[in-house]
């Protein structure tokens, strides 16, 4: 798509990747290193506001996200910031959009930035990309194919993208732009990359269904129902692994897989693994390097049987 | 029950008398079934403007009732009473009492944004749902929902330190909602987690309970946000015709 040089980008891990999503952080960094892509951490970053701050006031969320982008562009001189977390990615994209189109949002962001003592984000100064864009645009399927050491052959994967990666459409102007671009209705970047790594992609109809991540704790039964639906569908599609690209979805699936088992007696078999972990294994990184042992669903034995770990 | 399968006349408005005689004719039982006539006089004409004044509700006037939101809704699939299209209709008609029948489930919107994705009129129903549940709480129709408790716990941590720490969120949320921390599934999760985790990581995660992760140079940003939040709270209360928060009744002026 873009010819921009993605060999060196600003990296915004976000709060989740320092906690429950640690395996995602670990595997993303390991993958970058293996592929010769440099990640420079955004310095003194703050939380993007996740899914919660917008319910207090959406403009604060815009400000929080804009602060991250402002530091990456104004202080550090980057034109691209990569956020692997769907929540962070979504909020930064939303701030990009809102600050380009909504004068009220701009006014609040400028006011808060001034009081906080830093430069306000300048619309258009930096582009936010997801970890999927990062690999897809810098390395691509062909690049992955060339580098595969342990093909993921025989590993049946259902790709789960979740809500925040594609919705609402208007904050992702680069999507749905014809061949080569990502689709908001049927996203395929993860499918493309994992297929290039040899995995067998099953036709999973719930790619962008919701895991109830926003109410994981506040309305757990609803979340458990939604996740059980996702997991049972994956089983029915014949998938062994659900590949994820969001720490909230990932830990939601893990947590409610257990909750469905302990509370509702519904046992499902899918192993829940970050796509960066799968790509890492395919490129010859060890299971420990990509943090397989940090996942709750035990997949080490499975990957050993398949000869990739 | 899905709305299209419901009877237009509510059961409580159908009256059957076991024994009834009218003008000397026995009309007991089935023959005396009456429908209580229903006249709506208590339209609240302000409610649409009030919703529109809250974050997320601004586009509610654009709705033309196509029903795409309800049709795509994640929560509606689990609970057919969760009906964004219907609630938007009630708000625009000013049928407050009717809306209040569903007051305890409106907060359950999971913000998946499928409705906003499919809406042909850019109503942003997800935002409207948030505005609605906010409105219910501010007006005192419902207590703070678990979701609002969670949002507040989460946001306060960010405003204070610039970041969140997950175990602190979990503990804070359970405390606010008066739930025990020792939930069976949570224990099982922790059990499975520590089976494989390296000591070093466990140590860092444990340490985060005592040393809060924070963003450097955050204090000025935090203070600016707090100030803005207070300002907005006043604005919202004013838009809804409420006095300042200290006014315990929270009643209209």
């Amino acid at each position: 798509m873009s010819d921009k040089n993605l060999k060196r980008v600003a990296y915004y891990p976000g709060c989740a990747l320092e906690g429950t999503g640690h395996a995602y952080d670990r595997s993303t960094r390991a993958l970058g290193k293996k592929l010769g892509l440099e990640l420079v951490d955004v310095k003194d970053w703050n939380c993007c506001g996740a899914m919660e701050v917008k319910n207090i006031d959406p403009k604060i969320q815009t400000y929080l996200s804009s602060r991250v982008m402002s530091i990456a562009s104004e202080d550090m001189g980057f034109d691209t910031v990569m956020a692997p977390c769907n929540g962070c990615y979504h909020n930064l994209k939303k701030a990009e959009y809102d600050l380009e189109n909504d004068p009220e949002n701009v006014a609040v962001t400028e006011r808060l930035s001034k009081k906080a003592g830093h430069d306000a984000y300048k619309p258009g100064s930096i582009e936010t990309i997801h970890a999927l864009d990062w690999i897809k645009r810098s390395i691509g399927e062909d690049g992955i194919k060339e580098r595969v050491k342990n093909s993921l052959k025989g590993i049946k994967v259902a790709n789960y993208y979740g809500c925040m990666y594609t919705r609402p459409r208007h904050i992702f102007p680069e999507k749905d732009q014809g061949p080569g671009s990502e689709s908001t209705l049927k996203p395929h970047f993860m499918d493309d990359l994992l297929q290039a790594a040899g995995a067998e992609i099953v036709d999973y109809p719930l790619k962008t269904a919701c895991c109830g991540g926003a109410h994981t704790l506040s309305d757990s039964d609803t979340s458990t129902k939604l996740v059980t639906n996702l997991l049972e569908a994956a089983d029915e599609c014949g998938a062994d692994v659900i590949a994820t690209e969001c720490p909230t979805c990932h830990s939601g699936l893990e947590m409610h897989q257990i909750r469905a088992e302990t509370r509702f007696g519904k046992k499902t078999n899918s192993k829940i693994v970050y796509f960066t972990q799968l790509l890492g294994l395919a490129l010859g990184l060890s299971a420990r390097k990509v943090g397989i042992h940090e996942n709750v669903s035990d997949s080490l034995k499975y990957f050993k049987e398949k000869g990739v770990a | 029950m899905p709305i299209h399968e419901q009877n237009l006349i509510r059961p409580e408005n159908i009256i059957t008398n076991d024994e009834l005689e009218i003008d000397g004719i026995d009309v007991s039982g089935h023959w005396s079934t009456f429908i209580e006539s229903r006249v709506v006089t208590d339209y609240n004409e302000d409610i649409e403007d009030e919703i529109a004044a809250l974050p997320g509700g601004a586009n509610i006037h654009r709705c033309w009732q196509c029903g795409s939101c309800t049709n795509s809704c994640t929560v509606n699939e689990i609970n057919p009473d969760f009906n964004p299209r219907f609630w938007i209709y009630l708000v625009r008609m000013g049928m407050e009492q009717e809306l209040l029948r569903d007051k305890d489930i409106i907060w359950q919107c999971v913000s998946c944004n499928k409705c906003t994705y499919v809406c042909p009129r850019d109503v942003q129903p997800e935002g409207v749902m948030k505005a609605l549940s906010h409105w219910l709480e501010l007006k005192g129709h419902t207590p703070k929902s678990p979701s609002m408790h969670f949002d507040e716990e989460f946001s306060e941590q960010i405003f204070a330190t610039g970041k969140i720490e997950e175990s602190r969120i979990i503990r804070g949320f359970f405390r606010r909602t008066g739930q025990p921390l020792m939930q069976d599934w949570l224990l099982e999760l922790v059990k499975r987690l520590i089976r494989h985790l390296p000591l070093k990581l466990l140590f860092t995660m444990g340490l985060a309970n005592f040393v809060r992760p924070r963003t450097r140079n955050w204090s000025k940003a935090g203070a600016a946000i707090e100030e803005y939040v207070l300002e907005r709270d006043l604005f919202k209360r004013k838009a809804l015709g409420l006095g300042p928060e200290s006014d315990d009744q929270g009643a209209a002026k």
Side-chain angles (χ1 to χ4, degrees), chain A residues 15-16 18-20 22 44-47 49-60 63-64 67 90 108 111-112 115-117 163 166-170 176 184-185 208-210 212 214-215 217-220 222 225-226 229 254-255 258-259 261-263 288 293-296 298, chain B residues 55-56 74-75 77-78 107-114 116-117 122 124 126 130 134 146-148 150-152 154-155 158-159 162-164 166 169-170 173-174 179 183-185 188-189 192-193 195-198 201 205 213 215-218 220-221 224-225 227-229 231-232 236:
Chain A
C15 307
E18 287 193 336
T20 45
H22 186 263
D44 302 339
W45 54 263
N46 55 274
C47 173
M51 284 170 285
E52 284 74 15
V53 173
K54 78 166 176 52
N55 298 338
I56 305 296
D57 193 287
K59 293 194 179 66
I60 303 176
Y63 163 69
L64 290 170
R67 183 180 178 274
H90 176 275
V108 172
R111 174 186 145 183
L112 293 176
K115 286 198 172 167
C163 306
T166 52
R167 286 191 296 267
R169 190 205 313 260
H170 67 266
D176 295 331
T184 57
L185 196 61
T208 66
C210 177
H215 286 169
L217 289 173
S218 44
D219 189 7
S220 298
T222 299
K225 276 182 204 155
L226 293 171
N229 193 24
E254 288 181 328
M255 177 177 141
I258 292 174
R259 205 167 178 275
E261 213 178 300
T262 50
R263 282 270 167 100
R288 187 151 279 271
H293 57 290
E294 291 181 22
N295 294 342
V296 175
D298 205 345
Chain B
T74 297
V75 185
E77 219 171 297
I78 302 179
W107 67 273
Q108 288 182 304
C109 162
V110 288
S111 296
C112 70
N113 267 320
K114 283 189 182 171
T116 299
Y117 184 95
D122 194 26
Q124 306 190 357
E126 184 266 345
K130 295 299 159 191
H134 209 142
S147 171
M148 188 41 105
F150 192 81
D151 295 340
E152 286 184 352
F154 203 97
S155 302
I158 299 174
F159 301 164
K163 286 186 184 179
I164 58 132
E166 287 156 327
I169 297 273
I170 295 176
F173 171 71
F174 283 148
Q179 296 179 64
Q183 311 251 348
D184 50 357
W185 55 270
E188 182 64 28
L189 183 86
R192 292 195 198 182
L193 251 179
R195 216 167 35 197
H196 304 290
L197 279 187
L201 184 62
M205 283 166 77
T215 305
R216 277 203 306 144
N217 304 324
W218 180 252
K220 277 200 278 180
I225 293 173
E227 184 194 66
Y228 178 74
V229 172
E231 203 176 281
R232 293 313 292 174
K236 283 181 217 162

Side-chain angles (χ1 to χ4, degrees), chain B residues 3 6-13 38-44 47 81-106 132 135-136 141-142:
Chain B
I3 198 162
Q6 286 170 21
N7 201 323
L8 277 176
I9 304 155
R10 291 223 173 79
E12 65 266 29
N13 291 338
R38 180 165 155 267
V39 182
V40 181
T41 52
D42 54 351
Y43 289 100
N44 179 349
I47 183 169
D81 288 334
F82 193 97
N83 192 339
R85 195 273 311 154
F86 182 49
W87 296 333
I88 291 172
Y89 169 76
L90 294 178
V91 168
R92 300 205 59 207
M93 293 289 285
M95 297 172 84
E96 186 175 357
Q97 292 311 312
E98 202 74 10
L99 179 74
L100 291 181
R101 286 168 174 271
D102 290 329
K103 66 184 165 61
D104 295 323
I105 57 170
I106 293 177
L132 262 181
W135 181 87
L136 288 167
H141 292 305
T142 55

Side-chain angles (χ1 to χ4, degrees), chain A residues 35 139-148 283:
Chain A
L35 292 170
I139 306 292
E141 294 95 304
D142 293 340
I144 294 287
K145 266 183 208 153
E146 284 166 21
R147 293 173 172 82
V148 168
L283 298 180

